[in-house]
Amino acid sequence: MWRSAPPFAELLAGCQHSALHLEMRDHYDDPDEAPRVAAWKAGHRPDPDDRASWWRPWLDMVAETVARGVVIRRARIVSEPVSEYTKYLYDGTFTNVAAGEEVRWLPRRKASDLALPGNDFWLFDDHLVRFGYFAGDGAYLGDEVSDEPAVAKLCADAFQSVWSRATPHAEYRV
């Protein structure tokens, strides 16, 4: 069944064992993120020794979820050479990793023969999928969730195929 998505924090809080996220865009235009992107463009980089300055409340939520035993994995399919926005993401990804996420990167050219859903998604506990919808310019348009077994299987298979080919963050270079 397809329905409007509950708040993301609620989905993550209810997660028991895994939360998988597949990102397939080269740019996202999130107004809440705009100040961080502007600061990055001006030369600011997150300080590895100043955890309090990192992206909150997201990283706190990740750390709390991982502490409960939930595995959070994020795979990003990216065009190469990478976009400026992808460079921004890359420079800050160490904070996601420090909070407990596992992150991998897959060049888009290596995904050509993979069956992928048409939208970014989160898959919670292998059965609930939250699709995120974005405009061509990267603006967030909304989301929906589905608990249809065939949809969850498509997303689980897609994520695993990307994950198995992708390069761990510590080894990937932009």
PDB file of all heavy atoms in Angstrom, residues 70-99:
ATOM      1  N   VAL A  70      21.081  -0.928  14.938  1.00  0.00           N
ATOM      2  CA  VAL A  70      20.614  -0.796  13.561  1.00  0.00           C
ATOM      3  C   VAL A  70      21.801  -0.443  12.665  1.00  0.00           C
ATOM      4  O   VAL A  70      22.585   0.453  12.986  1.00  0.00           O
ATOM      5  CB  VAL A  70      19.522   0.295  13.447  1.00  0.00           C
ATOM      6  CG1 VAL A  70      19.101   0.513  11.997  1.00  0.00           C
ATOM      7  CG2 VAL A  70      18.322  -0.069  14.312  1.00  0.00           C
ATOM      8  N   VAL A  71      21.924  -1.141  11.548  1.00  0.00           N
ATOM      9  CA  VAL A  71      22.962  -0.846  10.557  1.00  0.00           C
ATOM     10  C   VAL A  71      22.391   0.176   9.584  1.00  0.00           C
ATOM     11  O   VAL A  71      21.320  -0.038   9.011  1.00  0.00           O
ATOM     12  CB  VAL A  71      23.384  -2.124   9.806  1.00  0.00           C
ATOM     13  CG1 VAL A  71      24.351  -1.793   8.684  1.00  0.00           C
ATOM     14  CG2 VAL A  71      23.988  -3.131  10.768  1.00  0.00           C
ATOM     15  N   ILE A  72      23.104   1.286   9.418  1.00  0.00           N
ATOM     16  CA  ILE A  72      22.692   2.309   8.459  1.00  0.00           C
ATOM     17  C   ILE A  72      23.737   2.347   7.349  1.00  0.00           C
ATOM     18  O   ILE A  72      24.920   2.586   7.595  1.00  0.00           O
ATOM     19  CB  ILE A  72      22.561   3.699   9.116  1.00  0.00           C
ATOM     20  CG1 ILE A  72      21.521   3.655  10.234  1.00  0.00           C
ATOM     21  CG2 ILE A  72      22.196   4.748   8.063  1.00  0.00           C
ATOM     22  CD1 ILE A  72      21.340   4.978  10.967  1.00  0.00           C
ATOM     23  N   ARG A  73      23.273   2.081   6.132  1.00  0.00           N
ATOM     24  CA  ARG A  73      24.167   2.119   4.972  1.00  0.00           C
ATOM     25  C   ARG A  73      23.612   3.095   3.945  1.00  0.00           C
ATOM     26  O   ARG A  73      22.414   3.132   3.692  1.00  0.00           O
ATOM     27  CB  ARG A  73      24.313   0.731   4.342  1.00  0.00           C
ATOM     28  CG  ARG A  73      24.998  -0.260   5.260  1.00  0.00           C
ATOM     29  CD  ARG A  73      25.340  -1.555   4.556  1.00  0.00           C
ATOM     30  NE  ARG A  73      24.127  -2.263   4.153  1.00  0.00           N
ATOM     31  CZ  ARG A  73      24.127  -3.266   3.276  1.00  0.00           C
ATOM     32  NH1 ARG A  73      25.240  -3.677   2.702  1.00  0.00           N
ATOM     33  NH2 ARG A  73      22.993  -3.874   2.964  1.00  0.00           N
ATOM     34  N   ARG A  74      24.512   3.885   3.357  1.00  0.00           N
ATOM     35  CA  ARG A  74      24.158   4.882   2.346  1.00  0.00           C
ATOM     36  C   ARG A  74      25.031   4.618   1.123  1.00  0.00           C
ATOM     37  O   ARG A  74      26.251   4.546   1.228  1.00  0.00           O
ATOM     38  CB  ARG A  74      24.428   6.280   2.893  1.00  0.00           C
ATOM     39  CG  ARG A  74      24.150   7.413   1.920  1.00  0.00           C
ATOM     40  CD  ARG A  74      24.601   8.754   2.509  1.00  0.00           C
ATOM     41  NE  ARG A  74      24.008   9.042   3.805  1.00  0.00           N
ATOM     42  CZ  ARG A  74      22.972   9.847   3.993  1.00  0.00           C
ATOM     43  NH1 ARG A  74      22.420  10.472   2.977  1.00  0.00           N
ATOM     44  NH2 ARG A  74      22.505  10.060   5.220  1.00  0.00           N
ATOM     45  N   ALA A  75      24.396   4.512  -0.037  1.00  0.00           N
ATOM     46  CA  ALA A  75      25.129   4.363  -1.300  1.00  0.00           C
ATOM     47  C   ALA A  75      24.768   5.543  -2.198  1.00  0.00           C
ATOM     48  O   ALA A  75      23.592   5.903  -2.309  1.00  0.00           O
ATOM     49  CB  ALA A  75      24.775   3.046  -1.985  1.00  0.00           C
ATOM     50  N   ARG A  76      25.799   6.121  -2.793  1.00  0.00           N
ATOM     51  CA  ARG A  76      25.583   7.266  -3.681  1.00  0.00           C
ATOM     52  C   ARG A  76      26.064   6.913  -5.080  1.00  0.00           C
ATOM     53  O   ARG A  76      27.225   6.531  -5.264  1.00  0.00           O
ATOM     54  CB  ARG A  76      26.359   8.482  -3.170  1.00  0.00           C
ATOM     55  CG  ARG A  76      25.812   9.024  -1.872  1.00  0.00           C
ATOM     56  CD  ARG A  76      26.625  10.200  -1.381  1.00  0.00           C
ATOM     57  NE  ARG A  76      25.953  10.868  -0.276  1.00  0.00           N
ATOM     58  CZ  ARG A  76      26.581  11.352   0.788  1.00  0.00           C
ATOM     59  NH1 ARG A  76      27.899  11.281   0.877  1.00  0.00           N
ATOM     60  NH2 ARG A  76      25.905  11.930   1.743  1.00  0.00           N
ATOM     61  N   ILE A  77      25.173   7.058  -6.037  1.00  0.00           N
ATOM     62  CA  ILE A  77      25.538   6.920  -7.448  1.00  0.00           C
ATOM     63  C   ILE A  77      25.825   8.327  -7.940  1.00  0.00           C
ATOM     64  O   ILE A  77      24.967   9.213  -7.836  1.00  0.00           O
ATOM     65  CB  ILE A  77      24.408   6.273  -8.268  1.00  0.00           C
ATOM     66  CG1 ILE A  77      24.121   4.858  -7.748  1.00  0.00           C
ATOM     67  CG2 ILE A  77      24.778   6.242  -9.744  1.00  0.00           C
ATOM     68  CD1 ILE A  77      22.930   4.184  -8.422  1.00  0.00           C
ATOM     69  N   VAL A  78      27.043   8.544  -8.460  1.00  0.00           N
ATOM     70  CA  VAL A  78      27.458   9.898  -8.833  1.00  0.00           C
ATOM     71  C   VAL A  78      28.042   9.940 -10.244  1.00  0.00           C
ATOM     72  O   VAL A  78      28.689   9.004 -10.684  1.00  0.00           O
ATOM     73  CB  VAL A  78      28.488  10.469  -7.831  1.00  0.00           C
ATOM     74  CG1 VAL A  78      27.859  10.630  -6.455  1.00  0.00           C
ATOM     75  CG2 VAL A  78      29.729   9.596  -7.746  1.00  0.00           C
ATOM     76  N   SER A  79      27.774  11.042 -10.914  1.00  0.00           N
ATOM     77  CA  SER A  79      28.400  11.289 -12.217  1.00  0.00           C
ATOM     78  C   SER A  79      29.848  11.703 -11.973  1.00  0.00           C
ATOM     79  O   SER A  79      30.161  12.338 -10.971  1.00  0.00           O
ATOM     80  CB  SER A  79      27.671  12.410 -12.962  1.00  0.00           C
ATOM     81  OG  SER A  79      26.328  12.048 -13.202  1.00  0.00           O
ATOM     82  N   GLU A  80      30.724  11.318 -12.887  1.00  0.00           N
ATOM     83  CA  GLU A  80      32.126  11.734 -12.812  1.00  0.00           C
ATOM     84  C   GLU A  80      32.496  12.379 -14.137  1.00  0.00           C
ATOM     85  O   GLU A  80      32.124  11.859 -15.190  1.00  0.00           O
ATOM     86  CB  GLU A  80      33.035  10.536 -12.526  1.00  0.00           C
ATOM     87  CG  GLU A  80      32.875   9.992 -11.125  1.00  0.00           C
ATOM     88  CD  GLU A  80      33.807   8.831 -10.827  1.00  0.00           C
ATOM     89  OE1 GLU A  80      34.129   8.048 -11.744  1.00  0.00           O
ATOM     90  OE2 GLU A  80      34.218   8.707  -9.658  1.00  0.00           O
ATOM     91  N   PRO A  81      33.250  13.494 -14.101  1.00  0.00           N
ATOM     92  CA  PRO A  81      33.709  14.157 -12.897  1.00  0.00           C
ATOM     93  C   PRO A  81      32.517  14.618 -12.061  1.00  0.00           C
ATOM     94  O   PRO A  81      31.467  14.950 -12.586  1.00  0.00           O
ATOM     95  CB  PRO A  81      34.535  15.338 -13.388  1.00  0.00           C
ATOM     96  CG  PRO A  81      34.350  15.425 -14.862  1.00  0.00           C
ATOM     97  CD  PRO A  81      33.655  14.206 -15.320  1.00  0.00           C
ATOM     98  N   VAL A  82      32.723  14.645 -10.748  1.00  0.00           N
ATOM     99  CA  VAL A  82      31.618  14.926  -9.838  1.00  0.00           C
ATOM    100  C   VAL A  82      31.221  16.401  -9.887  1.00  0.00           C
ATOM    101  O   VAL A  82      32.024  17.270 -10.213  1.00  0.00           O
ATOM    102  CB  VAL A  82      31.949  14.510  -8.387  1.00  0.00           C
ATOM    103  CG1 VAL A  82      32.234  13.023  -8.302  1.00  0.00           C
ATOM    104  CG2 VAL A  82      33.084  15.324  -7.813  1.00  0.00           C
ATOM    105  N   SER A  83      29.963  16.650  -9.531  1.00  0.00           N
ATOM    106  CA  SER A  83      29.447  18.019  -9.460  1.00  0.00           C
ATOM    107  C   SER A  83      30.028  18.730  -8.246  1.00  0.00           C
ATOM    108  O   SER A  83      30.552  18.112  -7.316  1.00  0.00           O
ATOM    109  CB  SER A  83      27.918  17.993  -9.353  1.00  0.00           C
ATOM    110  OG  SER A  83      27.523  17.457  -8.104  1.00  0.00           O
ATOM    111  N   GLU A  84      29.882  20.039  -8.224  1.00  0.00           N
ATOM    112  CA  GLU A  84      30.328  20.817  -7.070  1.00  0.00           C
ATOM    113  C   GLU A  84      29.579  20.352  -5.812  1.00  0.00           C
ATOM    114  O   GLU A  84      30.170  20.225  -4.738  1.00  0.00           O
ATOM    115  CB  GLU A  84      30.097  22.310  -7.316  1.00  0.00           C
ATOM    116  CG  GLU A  84      30.571  23.182  -6.170  1.00  0.00           C
ATOM    117  CD  GLU A  84      30.346  24.657  -6.419  1.00  0.00           C
ATOM    118  OE1 GLU A  84      29.269  25.027  -6.949  1.00  0.00           O
ATOM    119  OE2 GLU A  84      31.240  25.436  -6.067  1.00  0.00           O
ATOM    120  N   TYR A  85      28.299  20.090  -5.947  1.00  0.00           N
ATOM    121  CA  TYR A  85      27.514  19.640  -4.805  1.00  0.00           C
ATOM    122  C   TYR A  85      28.025  18.293  -4.283  1.00  0.00           C
ATOM    123  O   TYR A  85      28.100  18.075  -3.070  1.00  0.00           O
ATOM    124  CB  TYR A  85      26.027  19.542  -5.168  1.00  0.00           C
ATOM    125  CG  TYR A  85      25.185  19.143  -3.995  1.00  0.00           C
ATOM    126  CD1 TYR A  85      24.760  20.083  -3.072  1.00  0.00           C
ATOM    127  CD2 TYR A  85      24.848  17.813  -3.780  1.00  0.00           C
ATOM    128  CE1 TYR A  85      24.010  19.721  -1.964  1.00  0.00           C
ATOM    129  CE2 TYR A  85      24.097  17.435  -2.679  1.00  0.00           C
ATOM    130  CZ  TYR A  85      23.688  18.394  -1.776  1.00  0.00           C
ATOM    131  OH  TYR A  85      22.951  18.027  -0.673  1.00  0.00           O
ATOM    132  N   THR A  86      28.378  17.389  -5.185  1.00  0.00           N
ATOM    133  CA  THR A  86      28.916  16.096  -4.757  1.00  0.00           C
ATOM    134  C   THR A  86      30.238  16.285  -4.014  1.00  0.00           C
ATOM    135  O   THR A  86      30.506  15.588  -3.031  1.00  0.00           O
ATOM    136  CB  THR A  86      29.072  15.143  -5.954  1.00  0.00           C
ATOM    137  OG1 THR A  86      27.770  14.906  -6.531  1.00  0.00           O
ATOM    138  CG2 THR A  86      29.677  13.815  -5.544  1.00  0.00           C
ATOM    139  N   LYS A  87      31.048  17.245  -4.439  1.00  0.00           N
ATOM    140  CA  LYS A  87      32.286  17.542  -3.698  1.00  0.00           C
ATOM    141  C   LYS A  87      31.951  18.014  -2.288  1.00  0.00           C
ATOM    142  O   LYS A  87      32.621  17.630  -1.322  1.00  0.00           O
ATOM    143  CB  LYS A  87      33.110  18.609  -4.419  1.00  0.00           C
ATOM    144  CG  LYS A  87      33.748  18.111  -5.692  1.00  0.00           C
ATOM    145  CD  LYS A  87      34.507  19.237  -6.385  1.00  0.00           C
ATOM    146  CE  LYS A  87      35.006  18.770  -7.739  1.00  0.00           C
ATOM    147  NZ  LYS A  87      35.670  19.858  -8.475  1.00  0.00           N
ATOM    148  N   TYR A  88      30.922  18.832  -2.165  1.00  0.00           N
ATOM    149  CA  TYR A  88      30.467  19.278  -0.849  1.00  0.00           C
ATOM    150  C   TYR A  88      30.057  18.075   0.005  1.00  0.00           C
ATOM    151  O   TYR A  88      30.459  17.955   1.173  1.00  0.00           O
ATOM    152  CB  TYR A  88      29.308  20.276  -1.005  1.00  0.00           C
ATOM    153  CG  TYR A  88      28.410  20.357   0.190  1.00  0.00           C
ATOM    154  CD1 TYR A  88      28.798  21.040   1.336  1.00  0.00           C
ATOM    155  CD2 TYR A  88      27.163  19.727   0.184  1.00  0.00           C
ATOM    156  CE1 TYR A  88      27.976  21.101   2.452  1.00  0.00           C
ATOM    157  CE2 TYR A  88      26.340  19.789   1.289  1.00  0.00           C
ATOM    158  CZ  TYR A  88      26.746  20.469   2.422  1.00  0.00           C
ATOM    159  OH  TYR A  88      25.936  20.516   3.520  1.00  0.00           O
ATOM    160  N   LEU A  89      29.243  17.175  -0.562  1.00  0.00           N
ATOM    161  CA  LEU A  89      28.827  15.981   0.176  1.00  0.00           C
ATOM    162  C   LEU A  89      30.039  15.160   0.613  1.00  0.00           C
ATOM    163  O   LEU A  89      30.126  14.716   1.753  1.00  0.00           O
ATOM    164  CB  LEU A  89      27.919  15.098  -0.679  1.00  0.00           C
ATOM    165  CG  LEU A  89      26.496  15.542  -0.909  1.00  0.00           C
ATOM    166  CD1 LEU A  89      25.784  14.540  -1.814  1.00  0.00           C
ATOM    167  CD2 LEU A  89      25.753  15.714   0.391  1.00  0.00           C
ATOM    168  N   TYR A  90      30.941  14.962  -0.322  1.00  0.00           N
ATOM    169  CA  TYR A  90      32.133  14.154  -0.051  1.00  0.00           C
ATOM    170  C   TYR A  90      32.926  14.729   1.120  1.00  0.00           C
ATOM    171  O   TYR A  90      33.340  13.993   2.023  1.00  0.00           O
ATOM    172  CB  TYR A  90      32.996  14.080  -1.311  1.00  0.00           C
ATOM    173  CG  TYR A  90      34.260  13.302  -1.121  1.00  0.00           C
ATOM    174  CD1 TYR A  90      34.274  11.913  -1.246  1.00  0.00           C
ATOM    175  CD2 TYR A  90      35.450  13.941  -0.807  1.00  0.00           C
ATOM    176  CE1 TYR A  90      35.434  11.194  -1.059  1.00  0.00           C
ATOM    177  CE2 TYR A  90      36.621  13.226  -0.626  1.00  0.00           C
ATOM    178  CZ  TYR A  90      36.606  11.853  -0.747  1.00  0.00           C
ATOM    179  OH  TYR A  90      37.762  11.137  -0.565  1.00  0.00           O
ATOM    180  N   ASP A  91      33.136  16.036   1.106  1.00  0.00           N
ATOM    181  CA  ASP A  91      33.932  16.673   2.160  1.00  0.00           C
ATOM    182  C   ASP A  91      33.305  16.541   3.543  1.00  0.00           C
ATOM    183  O   ASP A  91      34.013  16.576   4.550  1.00  0.00           O
ATOM    184  CB  ASP A  91      34.168  18.159   1.849  1.00  0.00           C
ATOM    185  CG  ASP A  91      35.230  18.379   0.797  1.00  0.00           C
ATOM    186  OD1 ASP A  91      35.963  17.421   0.454  1.00  0.00           O
ATOM    187  OD2 ASP A  91      35.337  19.519   0.306  1.00  0.00           O
ATOM    188  N   GLY A  92      31.997  16.371   3.609  1.00  0.00           N
ATOM    189  CA  GLY A  92      31.335  16.245   4.896  1.00  0.00           C
ATOM    190  C   GLY A  92      30.961  14.828   5.286  1.00  0.00           C
ATOM    191  O   GLY A  92      30.497  14.590   6.405  1.00  0.00           O
ATOM    192  N   THR A  93      31.195  13.876   4.396  1.00  0.00           N
ATOM    193  CA  THR A  93      30.752  12.508   4.657  1.00  0.00           C
ATOM    194  C   THR A  93      31.478  11.856   5.829  1.00  0.00           C
ATOM    195  O   THR A  93      30.926  10.978   6.491  1.00  0.00           O
ATOM    196  CB  THR A  93      30.862  11.654   3.372  1.00  0.00           C
ATOM    197  OG1 THR A  93      29.918  12.170   2.420  1.00  0.00           O
ATOM    198  CG2 THR A  93      30.545  10.197   3.618  1.00  0.00           C
ATOM    199  N   PHE A  94      32.681  12.309   6.134  1.00  0.00           N
ATOM    200  CA  PHE A  94      33.373  11.715   7.282  1.00  0.00           C
ATOM    201  C   PHE A  94      32.532  11.862   8.554  1.00  0.00           C
ATOM    202  O   PHE A  94      32.633  11.036   9.470  1.00  0.00           O
ATOM    203  CB  PHE A  94      34.778  12.304   7.474  1.00  0.00           C
ATOM    204  CG  PHE A  94      34.814  13.661   8.115  1.00  0.00           C
ATOM    205  CD1 PHE A  94      34.899  13.798   9.492  1.00  0.00           C
ATOM    206  CD2 PHE A  94      34.744  14.813   7.334  1.00  0.00           C
ATOM    207  CE1 PHE A  94      34.919  15.052  10.089  1.00  0.00           C
ATOM    208  CE2 PHE A  94      34.769  16.067   7.918  1.00  0.00           C
ATOM    209  CZ  PHE A  94      34.858  16.185   9.302  1.00  0.00           C
ATOM    210  N   THR A  95      31.679  12.894   8.616  1.00  0.00           N
ATOM    211  CA  THR A  95      30.835  13.066   9.802  1.00  0.00           C
ATOM    212  C   THR A  95      29.763  11.979   9.861  1.00  0.00           C
ATOM    213  O   THR A  95      29.442  11.486  10.936  1.00  0.00           O
ATOM    214  CB  THR A  95      30.189  14.469   9.848  1.00  0.00           C
ATOM    215  OG1 THR A  95      29.294  14.635   8.749  1.00  0.00           O
ATOM    216  CG2 THR A  95      31.249  15.567   9.837  1.00  0.00           C
ATOM    217  N   ASN A  96      29.204  11.606   8.701  1.00  0.00           N
ATOM    218  CA  ASN A  96      28.236  10.509   8.651  1.00  0.00           C
ATOM    219  C   ASN A  96      28.891   9.214   9.134  1.00  0.00           C
ATOM    220  O   ASN A  96      28.311   8.457   9.906  1.00  0.00           O
ATOM    221  CB  ASN A  96      27.711  10.299   7.233  1.00  0.00           C
ATOM    222  CG  ASN A  96      26.963  11.470   6.686  1.00  0.00           C
ATOM    223  OD1 ASN A  96      27.563  12.501   6.381  1.00  0.00           O
ATOM    224  ND2 ASN A  96      25.668  11.346   6.543  1.00  0.00           N
ATOM    225  N   VAL A  97      30.098   8.972   8.652  1.00  0.00           N
ATOM    226  CA  VAL A  97      30.833   7.761   9.023  1.00  0.00           C
ATOM    227  C   VAL A  97      31.140   7.763  10.520  1.00  0.00           C
ATOM    228  O   VAL A  97      30.962   6.755  11.208  1.00  0.00           O
ATOM    229  CB  VAL A  97      32.121   7.621   8.170  1.00  0.00           C
ATOM    230  CG1 VAL A  97      32.975   6.469   8.652  1.00  0.00           C
ATOM    231  CG2 VAL A  97      31.758   7.455   6.688  1.00  0.00           C
ATOM    232  N   ALA A  98      31.569   8.906  11.027  1.00  0.00           N
ATOM    233  CA  ALA A  98      31.871   9.006  12.458  1.00  0.00           C
ATOM    234  C   ALA A  98      30.630   8.752  13.310  1.00  0.00           C
ATOM    235  O   ALA A  98      30.735   8.216  14.417  1.00  0.00           O
ATOM    236  CB  ALA A  98      32.464  10.375  12.781  1.00  0.00           C
ATOM    237  N   ALA A  99      29.453   9.110  12.800  1.00  0.00           N
ATOM    238  CA  ALA A  99      28.208   8.887  13.538  1.00  0.00           C
ATOM    239  C   ALA A  99      27.747   7.439  13.458  1.00  0.00           C
ATOM    240  O   ALA A  99      26.869   7.037  14.216  1.00  0.00           O
ATOM    241  CB  ALA A  99      27.117   9.814  13.018  1.00  0.00           C
TER     242      ALA A  99
END
